[in-house]
Amino acid sequence: MDRYREAVMFSSEEMARRPSIVSLSVVGAIDGDYGDQHRTSRTQGSRLWINPLMSMYWAFDLDAVARRCLYLEHLRDTTTSWEVSARIETFRARNPTKPWEDIPV
């Protein structure tokens, strides 16, 4: 985790005007931040929810995730983020998912 933190801090310094909100939030979670904590002025005025689980979101086996992705085949010939979004939206309309549930905290 130290190397991840170092990489995030380096990139934040190199891109001082646009540091990564997501990466800085993950570093905050690794460091024990919780709740409405801001590590960049880019999020000031908004409400964040930093939680301990955020530090775990970055560890996954891409091949295993891809094998479980039900709409992967629908994305094969896309070239723009707009096409990806439209295909996922169409897939979700045809294949309803479980209703949203808040994490009980």
Side-chain angles (χ1 to χ4, degrees):
M1 291 202 198
D2 289 337
R3 300 203 97 179
Y4 178 75
R5 183 185 294 105
E6 289 172 19
V8 169
M9 300 319 290
F10 176 79
S11 68
S12 294
E13 291 170 14
E14 292 295 309
M15 298 180 58
R17 288 190 239 175
R18 303 241 350 131
S20 171
I21 294 169
V22 172
S23 292
L24 286 170
S25 296
V26 171
V27 168
I30 291 168
D31 290 344
D33 290 352
Y34 184 81
D36 194 20
Q37 303 289 321
H38 301 262
R39 294 214 168 197
T40 172
S41 60
R42 291 184 64 201
T43 61
Q44 295 301 318
S46 67
R47 186 162 183 234
L48 295 178
W49 187 54
I50 307 301
N51 69 80
L53 295 176
M54 293 175 78
S55 63
M56 298 170 60
Y57 293 160
W58 297 94
F60 58 88
D61 178 339
L62 181 58
D63 290 331
V65 172
R67 282 191 302 273
R68 293 184 54 106
C69 180
L70 301 176
Y71 50 81
L72 188 61
E73 287 300 317
H74 301 281
L75 303 179
R76 291 242 183 250
D77 63 342
T78 59
T79 57
T80 69
S81 61
W82 302 109
E83 289 174 321
V84 169
S85 181
R87 299 277 177 89
I88 292 171
E89 189 174 322
T90 300
F91 178 86
R92 287 181 174 168
R94 292 179 183 157
N95 302 279
T97 59
K98 296 188 302 186
W100 179 267
E101 291 184 43
D102 290 334
I103 297 174
V105 193

